[in-house]
Amino acid sequence: MSITGHAKLAGIAGWPVGHSLSPRLHGYWIAEHKLDAAYVPLPVRREDFAATVALLPKLGFRGLNVTIPHKEAAFALATEHDEAAKATGAVNTLVFEDGRIIGKNTDVIGVIGMFHDAGITTLAGKTVTVYGAGGAARAVVFALTQLHASQIWISNRTQSKAEELADRFKGRGNTQIAAISDVDPLRASDVLINTTSVGMVGADHTPEPWRSSDFRKDGIVADIVYRPLETQFLHMGRAMGAKAIDGLGMLLHQAVPAFAAWFGIEPKVTPALRTYMLEALKGD
Ligand code: NAP
């Protein structure tokens, strides 16, 4: 589709950025809505990020997604933050508006959307174990509190980070949150969610932080890793009879509020979009 000199612009800044599926995702919606717009990959080194954020609004960009290694810098450069960014201390989306730089964390909406797609609109009364305590885990834990999970256990290779994450969200709503070590009774969890990079294409897979005895036949397993779509974690959960939720839903749903903020249209996450995105994941 062709664009004019008035095209609305946005993109994703990362280093590297070539693996990102976001240009394909936003490109789908731009074409669907026949917008005069473009969403481009921007390979930006760490040392160039601040200068890039200063320049892009002057070039007409509406905003940016940010990925590794820019999420912390994006938080620091934002002149204001939405509630999710404040709560998580992490930003994955910038909106440039009238000289302001608004930092958003749309991953939280991504996680909530991923559960909604699986028919889960509340986790009230449920115990959830979160594996991992990195940047994405913050969005996951915040989303779980928004879904009213009753108890969240956080298990991480580096225990101190699990404790920091638990402390960050303690006292929110009625959710009880605690860091656990591997001797704790994970089997009591209704939902297990992997937020580590274990299982991701190209990542170190061993040792896996979970055991087959962690999985419950009547439970739910969710993985935010989506390359490959069917991770070993999901495979183990399914093999135990659990309901499995893959990470593509989070990717699709986190993009919705960003697209709406930049281009003024709230796009839909549809089965056709999911099929289109799955084509790009074939062969992982
Ligand atoms: P991060 O900040 O680097 O955190 C990585 C986490 O993985 C940490 O908890 C780390 O533990 C743990 N980990 C790494 N290798 C491990 C191993 N061998 N054994 C046990 N734990 C290990 O990364 P992130 O930004 O949170 O991203 C994590 C994953 O989520 C990535 O695969 C990313 O692609 C995915 N993600 C998906 C979406 C989506 O839209 N679906 C969005 C964001 C991220 P330590 O603290 O001990 O190092």
Side-chain angles (χ1 to χ4, degrees):
M1 195 179 143
S2 67
I3 56 173
T4 74
H6 302 286
K8 295 175 179 173
L9 303 174
I12 177 162
W15 188 268
V17 77
H19 63 284
S20 173
L21 290 180
S22 292
R24 181 176 176 92
L25 171 53
H26 286 276
Y28 178 94
W29 285 327
I30 287 170
E32 182 181 41
H33 293 284
K34 298 184 174 55
L35 297 184
D36 185 12
Y39 180 102
V40 294
L42 296 164
V44 178
R45 289 176 192 271
R46 189 187 287 275
E47 60 270 27
D48 297 326
F49 184 67
T52 302
V53 170
L55 184 62
L56 286 179
K58 296 179 190 167
L59 300 179
F61 272 70
R62 305 290 179 111
L64 271 187
N65 279 135
V66 294
T67 184
I68 293 167
H70 304 312
K71 288 193 174 182
E72 283 172 14
F75 185 89
L77 288 170
T79 55
E80 51 198 274
H81 302 86
D82 73 0
E83 191 204 346
K86 279 185 204 153
T88 58
V91 155
N92 72 333
T93 301
L94 293 175
V95 179
F96 306 141
E97 213 170 271
D98 308 324
R100 296 144 65 214
I101 302 175
I102 304 159
K104 293 175 173 283
N105 189 319
T106 67
D107 280 341
V108 175
I109 289 174
V111 177
I112 292 171
M114 161 184 173
F115 278 100
H116 278 196
D117 281 355
I120 298 160
T121 53
T122 176
L123 291 171
K126 304 289 184 198
T127 297
V128 184
T129 291
V130 176
Y131 295 100
R138 293 189 197 176
V140 168
V141 171
F142 185 51
L144 294 172
T145 65
Q146 305 273 73
L147 287 166
H148 309 293
S150 295
Q151 174 77 56
I152 301 173
W153 302 115
I154 303 170
S155 168
N156 191 49
R157 179 176 60 178
T158 309
Q159 174 78 9
S160 58
K161 284 174 68 181
E163 282 160 11
E164 275 167 39
L165 181 55
D167 287 345
R168 172 177 280 275
F169 292 104
K170 260 181 195 154
R172 269 188 189 266
N174 294 323
T175 307
Q176 302 292 316
I177 307 181
I180 54 169
S181 68
D182 60 4
V183 294
D184 285 278
L186 294 180
R187 292 188 77 167
S189 294
D190 303 293
V191 181
L192 301 180
I193 178 161
N194 175 40
T195 75
T196 75
S197 45
V198 174
M200 191 172 77
V201 170
D204 180 7
H205 290 214
T206 52
E208 288 175 352
W210 42 79
R211 303 151 297 190
S212 56
S213 58
D214 296 342
F215 296 87
R216 254 174 52 173
K217 189 169 87 181
D218 57 345
I220 294 163
V221 285
D223 202 330
I224 70 164
V225 171
Y226 57 87
R227 296 195 94 139
L229 192 68
E230 181 73 2
T231 58
Q232 190 60 22
F233 180 70
L234 290 185
H235 181 74
M236 282 172 80
R238 270 190 228 277
M240 291 298 290
K243 178 184 174 84
I245 304 173
D246 66 58
L248 183 57
M250 176 178 171
L251 178 78
L252 303 184
H253 284 283
Q254 62 78 31
V256 170
F259 189 94
W262 303 323
F263 302 126
I265 288 176
E266 187 159 318
K268 294 267 180 294
V269 172
T270 59
L273 171 64
R274 192 175 153 90
T275 302
Y276 176 75
M277 296 303 292
L278 284 176
E279 281 166 22
L281 295 176
K282 274 185 194 153
D284 275 354

